[in-house]
Amino acid sequence: MRLRLTPRDDSYYEMFADSANNLVIGARLLVELISDGADRDAISEKMRACEHAGDERTHAIMRRLNESFVTPFDREDIYRLASCLDDVMDSMEAAVDLIGLYGLDHLPKGIIDQVEVLERAAELTAEAMPRLRSMSDLTRYWIEINQLENQADQIYRRLLAHLFSGEYDALTVLKLKDVIEELETAADAFEHVANTVESIAVKES
């Protein structure tokens, strides 16, 4: 059978950019959720729609990967990057869902700090994705994401200490702990995205 070469499929760049832009929407919904007077039911519904849109984007990338003969970079890196972007959205949506399900009307200030870190990480990631096409000006991106993840770790540890300070009853501690762990997982997932981008850049250099 004769081998037929096909043009490299560059549509992945736009698809990754779309996924990252969706994370910005999700992060800003988190910011809105923790604001005073927020309509949490409406925001939770928007977040579910956002998570569904993220799933659709991830599935589209996977379908394209199965159909593509030539890809812009390693297939396993495409799969990993799509999966890591999806992991971020899953954790942010889970945090929003838990806040609503648990009826957490009063959140520790540290959660606001966590959300601010996630919003900045989302913005940096959305800015970085279009630069995958040229593989230029990406070093600062993964350095800043790493710094944000370190900051998120510090916030997480302070929050845990605050939860176990005796200010909250045991049941509330468990509820809040679930939320802050999902937010911490989202921060970790942003770092996994950045690590994948760094790996791709190194291979392509």
Side-chain angles (χ1 to χ4, degrees):
M1 182 176 67
R2 189 176 66 164
L3 180 66
R4 183 171 66 87
L5 296 179
T6 58
R8 185 175 73 171
D9 189 346
D10 288 342
S11 61
Y12 292 100
Y13 300 118
E14 182 177 346
M15 297 168 83
F16 283 129
D18 286 344
S19 291
N21 287 333
N22 195 52
L23 296 182
V24 174
I25 296 171
R28 289 176 179 168
L29 285 171
L30 265 173
V31 172
E32 189 177 347
L33 183 81
I34 62 176
S35 302
D36 292 337
D39 184 344
R40 290 188 171 178
D41 289 340
I43 295 168
S44 294
E45 187 62 33
K46 290 179 183 177
M47 193 61 150
R48 280 190 288 272
C50 193
E51 193 271 337
H52 179 70
D55 283 343
E56 288 297 314
R57 286 166 168 83
T58 302
H59 295 154
I61 293 170
M62 299 309 179
R63 285 194 299 269
R64 184 59 55 87
L65 188 59
N66 290 331
E67 297 166 357
S68 299
F69 181 70
V70 182
T71 56
F73 39 88
D74 286 351
R75 303 176 75 86
E76 59 266 29
D77 288 328
I78 292 173
Y79 177 85
R80 182 182 172 199
L81 183 55
S83 297
C84 290
L85 289 165
D86 191 57
D87 288 345
V88 175
M89 179 56 72
D90 286 346
S91 292
M92 291 197 298
E93 192 274 333
V96 169
D97 198 33
L98 287 171
I99 289 171
L101 289 172
Y102 288 159
L104 294 170
D105 295 327
H106 303 289
L107 301 172
K109 181 184 181 302
I111 287 181
I112 298 174
D113 297 333
Q114 280 187 302
V115 170
E116 288 176 349
V117 168
L118 294 179
E119 183 183 27
R120 180 57 182 154
E123 291 168 351
L124 287 171
T125 302
E127 291 167 6
M129 288 300 108
R131 299 201 294 273
L132 284 172
R133 186 182 295 272
S134 62
M135 293 294 168
S136 61
D137 301 321
L138 285 167
T139 304
R140 185 174 178 181
Y141 155 66
W142 61 67
I143 289 174
E144 289 189 14
I145 290 292
N146 180 261
Q147 291 170 342
L148 283 172
E149 200 278 330
N150 290 338
Q151 183 180 343
D153 284 346
Q154 294 171 359
I155 294 168
Y156 172 70
R157 289 192 292 267
R158 289 198 300 269
L159 264 171
L160 281 182
H162 179 59
L163 287 185
F164 292 104
S165 66
E167 179 178 338
Y168 302 97
D169 63 78
L171 188 57
T172 301
V173 168
L174 292 174
K175 292 176 180 179
L176 288 171
K177 189 171 182 290
D178 281 350
V179 173
I180 68 171
E181 284 180 346
E182 288 292 350
L183 296 174
E184 171 66 7
T185 300
D188 289 341
F190 270 121
E191 186 177 40
H192 295 159
V193 171
N195 289 342
T196 303
V197 170
E198 182 178 9
S199 176
I200 292 168
V202 169
K203 291 178 183 178
E204 296 297 313
S205 63

